[in-house]
Amino acid sequence: MRDFHPASRLILWGWLVVATQLARGPLLWGFGFFIGALALVTSSRRAWMLVRRVRYLLLAVIVLFGFSTPGEVALPLLGQASPSIEGLSLALTHSMRLLVTVMLVAILLEYLDGPLLIAGLIAVARPLALLGLSSERLAVRLMLVLRYAQEPPPGGWRALLVAGTDRDDEVLALPRATIGWWDWIVIVTVTLLGTYGVFL
């Protein structure tokens, strides 16, 4: 079996993320449980770590949607202080979308190491050169964001604001990879399916 270019994998991954945001009802929950099980089998440690990092965001989603969406009260004993059933339903839906996206990130990072991920980002972002943007700079910045999301520097995010950190002299190599005809088949197919799904 041919080894696909990182750009092909990134485009497929991006399509899955978009599909997650567009899915509704049983389709979302079925897709969510499938991706969750796949992440736990292939990248459980990374998946749990990323879920732990977004736990406060999940809590905020539940609180905001649960208590700010009008509807039938879920806990009559609390009166007006009770979350609504409609709000909790929305909170669960958006929480599932967030969790599926996190699981997809875990799977992506498990199979695309740093150099491969940068190579894929450079290829995907190359059309931005038409707008005067550097695909290399964008790829490196996104790579650093993903790295710090997984392994925050000593001192947390505040350390990134301090000049003279021990990573100031770090050198990142920008790898290159050739896109084959089989990659173009994947890219075109995923693009057409994604376009059809969005405008369906």
Side-chain angles (χ1 to χ4, degrees):
M1 181 177 181
R2 294 185 181 276
D3 189 19
F4 287 98
H5 190 280
S8 302
R9 305 181 201 179
L10 278 174
I11 291 175
L12 177 59
W13 175 83
W15 182 83
L16 290 175
V17 172
V18 172
T20 299
Q21 307 309 312
L22 297 177
R24 298 286 189 276
L27 180 60
L28 172 63
W29 289 93
F31 183 67
F33 284 119
F34 172 76
I35 293 298
L38 182 63
L40 292 179
V41 170
T42 61
S43 53
S44 59
R45 186 185 66 82
R46 194 186 302 271
W48 281 118
M49 178 185 66
L50 292 178
V51 170
R52 184 173 178 273
R53 295 194 185 283
V54 301
R55 63 187 185 279
Y56 294 117
L57 182 56
L58 285 170
L59 179 60
V61 168
I62 295 174
V63 170
L64 289 175
F65 280 97
F67 287 91
S68 64
T69 303
E72 183 180 354
V73 296
L75 301 173
L77 292 178
L78 297 180
Q80 295 298 321
S82 168
S84 66
I85 295 177
E86 292 79 2
L88 292 178
S89 177
L90 283 175
L92 288 176
T93 298
H94 287 287
S95 296
M96 173 60 78
R97 288 185 178 135
L98 176 58
L99 284 174
V100 174
T101 302
V102 169
M103 295 295 178
L104 287 171
V105 170
I107 296 173
L108 174 72
L109 297 179
E110 190 70 23
Y111 290 97
L112 280 184
D113 58 10
L116 287 177
L117 185 57
I118 292 179
L121 289 171
I122 290 175
V124 171
R126 195 170 301 282
L128 295 178
L130 299 175
L131 302 177
L133 302 176
S134 172
S135 59
E136 288 81 4
R137 289 187 177 182
L138 177 61
V140 170
R141 289 176 180 175
L142 288 176
M143 184 60 204
L144 290 175
V145 169
L146 291 174
R147 175 188 297 184
Y148 292 142
Q150 294 184 85
E151 300 177 4
W157 61 269
R158 293 179 180 82
L160 300 176
L161 304 178
V162 180
T165 61
D166 56 359
R167 297 195 180 197
D168 288 344
D169 56 351
E170 182 178 2
V171 177
L172 294 177
L174 297 181
R176 302 286 180 176
T178 303
I179 300 181
W181 60 267
W182 54 90
D183 292 296
W184 286 113
I185 293 177
V186 173
I187 292 172
V188 172
T189 301
V190 170
T191 302
L192 291 177
L193 287 175
T195 303
Y196 176 76
V198 170
F199 292 102
L200 180 62

